Amino acid sequence: MMHDAADDLLSDLAGLFAGEADPIANAANAAAAIWQHVPRINWAGFYFLKDGELVLGPFQGKPACVRIALGRGVCGTAAARRETLVVADVHAFPGHIACDGASNSEIVVPLLRDGALLGVLDIDSPELARFGAAERVLFEAAARAWTDSLGG
Ligand code: SME
């Protein structure tokens, strides 16, 4: 990822979130900003934890599966482990949920606030191994910007 694109995304998020604490509005703008700034992706969006499962939130890309059980697929596994998962080839990931057959690699970052799991930020790419250390840092910062935007 170009350093500039990362800086642009994070500064856009800071501007978009300034003075606004609505979780849906800020997630919608975050998905749109990621879509705008990050090249070679085919899905970017949020799942929120509701009644013990992940439920689809704001996103960009093709329509996606609405409900994902904790522990299932890449999203459910990242949520259950509460850690970022970077998957170079989703087809090799046990239980991967193929929402868009074009997806080949994926990064999922848990959304954590005061130790509570709120959901995940999920980005997919049609390229194998699209996401590495730089993207992990970037999307973890984007996820933190969103959780911080919710206020105290
Ligand atoms: N592939 C994900 C499902 C969500 S979609 O990619 C948007 C998974 O295995 O969790």
Side-chain angles (χ1 to χ4, degrees), residues 58-86:
F59 69 93
Q60 300 278 306
K62 288 189 180 171
C65 27
V66 173
R67 292 174 190 275
I68 299 175
L70 289 188
R72 237 193 109 221
V74 185
C75 289
T77 303
R81 291 190 196 160
R82 295 173 175 230
E83 65 185 33
T84 300
L85 280 187
V86 179

Side-chain angles (χ1 to χ4, degrees), residues 6 14 18 26 32-33 38 60 77 83 88 91 97-98 104 108 119-121 127 144 148-149:
N26 286 351
V38 180
Q60 300 278 306
T77 303
E83 65 185 33
H91 306 289
I97 304 158
N104 277 316
V108 180
V120 298
L121 172 63
E127 280 181 21
R144 200 162 45 244
D148 287 350
S149 79

Side-chain angles (χ1 to χ4, degrees), residues 43-45 47 54 56 59 62-65 68 72-77 90 93-100 103 106 108 122-124:
W43 204 89
Y47 281 88
L54 296 172
L56 184 64
F59 69 93
K62 288 189 180 171
C65 27
I68 299 175
R72 237 193 109 221
V74 185
C75 289
T77 303
V90 294
F93 189 92
H96 163 247
I97 304 158
C99 291
D100 180 346
S103 297
E106 181 163 1
V108 180
D122 177 22
I123 299 103
D124 290 16

